Amino acid sequence: MVPSTTIDPSRAKLRHRRHVGGFAAFGRAVVRLRWVVVALWLIVPTVLWLALPSLASQVNNDTTAFLPAGSPSLAAARLAEPIIGSTTAASVNVVATSPTPLSATQAAAIIGAIRSRVTHVLHVKKVDPGVLSSDELAVQMVAVSSVSQFNQSASNTLVADITAAAKSAELPHGVVANVAGPVATNVASQTTSQRSAGSTTIFSLLFIIALLVLIFRSPLAPLVTLIPALFALRLADPVIGALGQAGLKISFVA
């Protein structure tokens, strides 16, 4: 016959008191230092938000970055790189348009002016000779960089720098230079998506606040419910962004 196991009520009560006592002590400390706690919640997330990179800037869209280093596809890409070059290098098309047809001499001058500026952009390895369009209303050249097209943060900087360099070139009156191509389009899409996400977040918060006020019939209910979550998100965003900057691979799903 197996003897029954008995629980000492005094020990159970002691553990319960210690457990409750720990929370009670913590609660008393928070109440006593309430203004310090509030100040920390206001200051720490703000400082981290200003000092650390955002989560969105560290997103890696390259799915191969999450593969093991010995993956056959990565090994094949490394072997093929000396022959075909990097398959992930970001290339940005620079297009200059004119309201009137350009002669070959004018096109060459425009291409030369833009190439002289874009060539000196950081991470740009080369700029091709450029071509004149069939309708003679535009010229195009391609700037090849050492930046991976899947590195969103670096691509944003690259496109911005190339755009600024192209627009700073001395061009004839009416000729306008802009960037194009998949990389530039992706950067523009990301910018638009972030702006749209911001608007969606604002409208969602307003809807949630109105709903909470309607349900609880108290103006404090939305504040008590949402403020901790907002501070937690504001704190988590730059911390995860800093981890991404330090080498952590962050998927676009994040």
Side-chain angles (χ1 to χ4, degrees):
M1 183 174 179
V2 180
S4 60
T5 303
T6 59
I7 300 176
D8 188 351
S10 62
R11 290 185 178 181
K13 288 181 180 179
L14 180 60
R15 285 197 298 267
H16 177 71
R17 287 175 182 174
R18 288 176 179 175
H19 183 70
V20 174
F23 279 108
F26 178 75
R28 286 193 296 269
V30 170
V31 172
R32 186 171 62 253
L33 302 173
R34 55 190 177 276
W35 296 116
V36 175
V37 173
V38 171
L40 287 175
W41 271 109
L42 291 173
I43 294 172
V44 172
T46 303
V47 171
L48 293 181
W49 186 270
L50 296 174
L52 299 178
S54 66
L55 170 61
S57 68
Q58 300 302 315
V59 168
N60 194 333
N61 292 327
D62 184 6
T63 54
T64 62
F66 302 91
L67 295 175
S71 172
S73 60
L74 295 181
R78 286 193 295 268
L79 292 172
E81 188 167 346
I83 303 172
I84 63 175
S86 174
T87 57
T88 62
S91 298
V92 180
N93 296 0
V94 183
V95 180
T97 57
S98 171
T100 58
L102 299 169
S103 65
T105 303
Q106 290 174 321
I110 293 171
I111 291 172
I114 295 176
R115 288 185 80 250
S116 65
R117 298 299 181 96
V118 175
T119 303
H120 294 92
V121 171
L122 185 65
H123 299 305
V124 171
K125 296 174 63 178
K126 65 177 181 179
V127 182
D128 70 7
V131 294
L132 176 64
S133 65
S134 57
D135 59 5
E136 300 179 343
L137 292 177
V139 295
Q140 174 182 284
M141 62 215 75
V142 179
V144 181
S145 74
S146 58
V147 171
S148 171
Q149 60 181 314
F150 300 111
N151 188 331
Q152 192 61 50
S153 177
S155 296
N156 292 346
T157 304
L158 177 69
V159 170
D161 291 346
I162 291 178
T163 302
K167 289 184 178 297
S168 68
E170 296 182 4
L171 302 176
H173 179 70
V175 176
V176 179
N178 281 300
V179 294
V183 175
T185 301
N186 181 57
V187 169
S189 298
Q190 287 287 338
T191 303
T192 304
S193 297
Q194 291 176 8
R195 192 180 300 115
S196 300
S199 301
T200 303
T201 301
I202 292 173
F203 286 117
S204 299
L205 284 175
L206 293 176
F207 175 75
I208 292 171
I209 290 172
L211 194 62
L212 289 173
V213 170
L214 181 64
I215 293 174
F216 293 106
R217 298 180 182 179
S218 169
L220 294 179
L223 299 179
V224 173
T225 306
L226 294 177
I227 286 179
L230 291 176
F231 275 114
L233 287 174
R234 192 172 182 85
L235 185 64
D237 187 287
V239 170
I240 300 175
L243 293 175
Q245 192 177 52
L248 177 69
K249 301 298 183 184
I250 302 176
S251 170
F252 69 93
V253 178

